[in-house]
Amino acid sequence: MGRIKSALEIALERTESVRGDKASIDQFEAKQRGKRVANEFLAGTKVNLGDEIKKAPPEQQESLKQGVFDVLLSQITLPRGEDDLKRLEAVGKGLSLIIGDSRFSALYKQLNGALSQYLDESSQYEEALRRQYAPRLRQKEEELSRRLGRRIELDPFQDAEFVAFYNQNMATLKGNYEAAMEEVREQALRFFNRSIPSDS
């Protein structure tokens, strides 16, 4: 017949598994804290990423870095305006600090230049698409004006045909820049993985 375990032995066994779980919980919480710190950093608060990492216990620093990295990496998106360019610049500074490799900093600087160019190009492209579609839009305005007996002016974005035409053409432009951003994301991941000690 098997030996019956005492209450103390059972309690000790459970404590062992809790100790293992506590380490996992600590790592999870450090990663979540890293995500919060990254969001505060992007919001423009005076958060110093380097200081935040140094303040964390050594065994949690890699998880904290991972949380910061995950948030910053997800922010590499096409800009919609000048404000987005400022956010993307902050993303680059944060990633460069976390990664700690000047080659990545140089690569990201190139991406920033390309994204600034994208903003200029997309506004010129939109203007060209509006001009190209203008005769068709005027024709629709004239038809509607005749039918309704009063002058009608349409915004091109109220016209489903223009919206389809616009989306199709802009998708081509965006696709060119999306490929560059994907390359930078992949490089960031490579550099980041190299920056993590292999024993962690």
Side-chain angles (χ1 to χ4, degrees), residues 20 29 34 43 45-46 55 70 76 86-87 91 98 107-109 114 118 137 151 178 186 193 195:
E29 286 175 353
T45 58
K46 299 291 180 199
K55 277 194 277 184
D70 291 348
I76 301 177
K86 289 177 189 148
R87 176 184 54 80
V91 166
I98 294 292
L107 178 68
Y108 198 88
K109 194 173 184 180
Y118 163 77
L137 193 67
R151 175 122 175 84
E178 283 285 354
E186 286 172 12
N193 287 338
S195 75

Side-chain angles (χ1 to χ4, degrees), residues 22-148:
K22 182 169 177 2
S24 297
I25 290 167
D26 287 347
Q27 296 306 316
F28 174 78
E29 286 175 353
K31 190 173 179 182
Q32 294 306 108
R33 194 164 58 253
K35 289 180 179 187
R36 281 191 302 276
V37 165
N39 283 313
E40 288 171 21
F41 173 76
L42 290 174
T45 58
K46 299 291 180 199
V47 171
N48 183 313
L49 292 179
D51 288 349
E52 291 297 322
I53 292 164
K54 286 176 193 162
K55 277 194 277 184
E59 67 277 6
Q60 293 178 14
Q61 287 181 0
E62 294 307 324
S63 294
L64 188 108
K65 277 185 184 179
Q66 184 70 56
V68 170
F69 179 80
D70 291 348
V71 168
L72 294 178
L73 191 69
S74 74
Q75 293 298 308
I76 301 177
T77 57
L78 284 175
R80 293 186 182 159
E82 292 297 321
D83 287 346
D84 282 349
L85 283 180
K86 289 177 189 148
R87 176 184 54 80
L88 285 161
E89 197 175 317
V91 166
K93 285 178 184 169
L95 283 171
S96 294
L97 182 105
I98 294 292
I99 290 170
D101 191 310
S102 60
R103 291 172 298 176
F104 177 76
S105 300
L107 178 68
Y108 198 88
K109 194 173 184 180
Q110 288 177 344
L111 177 70
N112 256 357
L115 293 179
S116 181
Q117 182 182 325
Y118 163 77
L119 268 189
D120 294 341
E121 231 177 286
S122 65
S123 67
Q124 290 168 9
Y125 211 56
E126 182 177 322
E127 219 26 68
L129 292 174
R130 284 174 182 263
R131 276 195 307 275
Q132 191 177 341
Y133 194 76
R136 178 77 180 120
L137 193 67
R138 271 196 301 279
Q139 188 181 21
K140 288 183 174 193
E141 286 173 340
E142 286 167 10
E143 280 176 30
L144 273 172
S145 297
R146 262 196 310 278
R147 259 193 266 151
L148 299 172

